[in-house]
Amino acid sequence: MHPMLTIAIRAARKAGNLIAKHYEMPDSVETSQKGANDFVTNVDREAEQMIIEIIRKSYPKHTIISEECGELIGEEHDMQWVVDPLDGTTNFVKRLPHFAVSIAFRIKGRTEVAVVYDPMRNELFSAVRGQGAQLNGYRLRGASGRELDGAILATGFPFKAKQHADTYIKILGKLFNRCSDFRRTGSAALDLAYLAAGRVDGFFEIGLKPWDFLGGELLVREAGGIVSDFTGDHNYMTSGNIVAGSPRVVRELLSEMRDELTESLKR
Ligand code: IPD
Ligand code: CA
Ligand code: CA
Ligand code: CA
């Protein structure tokens, strides 16, 4: 097995088990607010520390970028771990059992290894660049088929960037005329993993952060899908505006969205 995959799996499982344990003990969860509609708990932070410790033990010189603690610059800046210790914090706080740990390992900005782990269902999604994506050891090819007509689309509402609400709702309306239905699960990492597994057929969201999507992005690509920003480009590392699906679904999504995009969403 790829040595970084071994470490990513070890860290994701250990952190996931900690999250699942706290889920069963709601009194042990302390929630605070980071911004409007934006929450963090002691469990996000404990899981993050656990992951950092495991990575640091094997790769003390690598750089780690993680949601709650920011960037820990190591001597080897080209070797980067991008971590979301708990993707779906709002679900976790509301005791809705749908959240995950996401870990991506990158060399010079290219993702080599990805793990998204759902501790409540014991589902481990993993991918190594060029070697395919897997769910609990079974090959995934879910993101390769389908068209927009009749598709099930996953999305996230722009709840932290409500200036985009009107545009978002217009896009939703247009897509609703084409697709079969939407899912808003509350975990972007799992949305992308589910796309890789064929449980949904497309995904789009405004303003994600690299730790939300880098793990899922490799899963989608290795399962036959593509990922782009809202204009068909690859500027999503900075904008966080993501569209994903099979090449055909992405092409059709982009063409439905095109006329609705404000200037700031074209970047
Ligand atoms: C959030 C989830 C959610 C998405 C948000 C993310 P967090 O991550 O992925 O589905 O809609 O944009 O911020 O904060 O729970 O790790
Ligand atoms: Ca968060
Ligand atoms: Ca996240
Ligand atoms: Ca998070």
Side-chain angles (χ1 to χ4, degrees), residues 44 67-68 84 86-87 89:
D44 298 62
E67 180 179 6
E68 310 307 339
D84 193 338
L86 204 181
D87 184 63
T89 297

Side-chain angles (χ1 to χ4, degrees), residues 47-234:
E48 179 170 74
Q49 284 313 312
M50 206 169 234
I51 295 165
I52 290 171
E53 215 171 278
I54 291 172
I55 296 171
R56 276 276 149 95
K57 217 170 176 181
S58 299
Y59 300 106
K61 294 182 180 167
H62 288 188
T63 291
I64 304 173
I65 298 168
S66 185
E67 180 179 6
E68 310 307 339
C69 75
E71 186 165 349
L72 304 171
I73 298 174
E75 275 170 54
E76 293 182 27
H77 198 245
D78 284 344
M79 310 291 255
Q80 233 174 42
W81 296 78
V82 182
V83 176
D84 193 338
L86 204 181
D87 184 63
T89 297
T90 302
N91 284 348
F92 178 75
V93 167
K94 296 295 286 177
R95 296 190 46 70
L96 198 164
H98 187 83
F99 37 79
V101 179
S102 175
I103 301 176
F105 172 69
R106 316 180 87 210
I107 300 179
K108 292 189 175 166
R110 183 157 76 175
T111 307
E112 299 290 330
V113 164
V115 168
V116 173
Y117 179 54
D118 171 351
M120 303 307 284
R121 299 182 181 86
N122 192 23
E123 289 194 320
L124 186 105
F125 300 86
S126 63
V128 174
R129 188 174 61 81
Q131 294 178 29
Q134 299 191 334
L135 164 55
N136 291 347
Y138 291 96
R139 187 74 187 256
L140 297 177
R141 288 193 181 82
S144 51
R146 290 270 188 177
E147 53 186 357
L148 182 56
D149 291 300
I152 298 286
L153 300 178
T155 184
F157 301 136
F159 65 101
K160 280 184 270 184
K162 292 201 176 174
Q163 71 274 20
H164 296 303
D166 290 345
T167 308
Y168 179 79
I169 286 164
K170 276 188 206 154
I171 291 171
L172 213 57
K174 276 190 109 171
L175 296 176
F176 193 54
N177 288 327
R178 297 279 306 274
C179 74
S180 155
D181 201 355
F182 294 108
R183 296 289 180 267
R184 195 298 188 244
T185 75
S187 163
L190 285 177
D191 288 341
L192 289 163
Y194 281 20
L195 175 58
R199 294 174 180 175
V200 297
D201 307 304
F203 171 75
F204 68 102
E205 184 159 344
I206 293 172
L208 287 172
K209 299 290 185 197
W211 46 79
D212 296 316
F213 64 76
L214 279 177
E217 180 196 13
L218 186 65
L219 295 173
V220 168
R221 289 189 193 287
E222 290 297 325
I226 61 168
V227 178
S228 89
D229 64 16
F230 287 4
T231 65
D233 245 316
H234 288 89

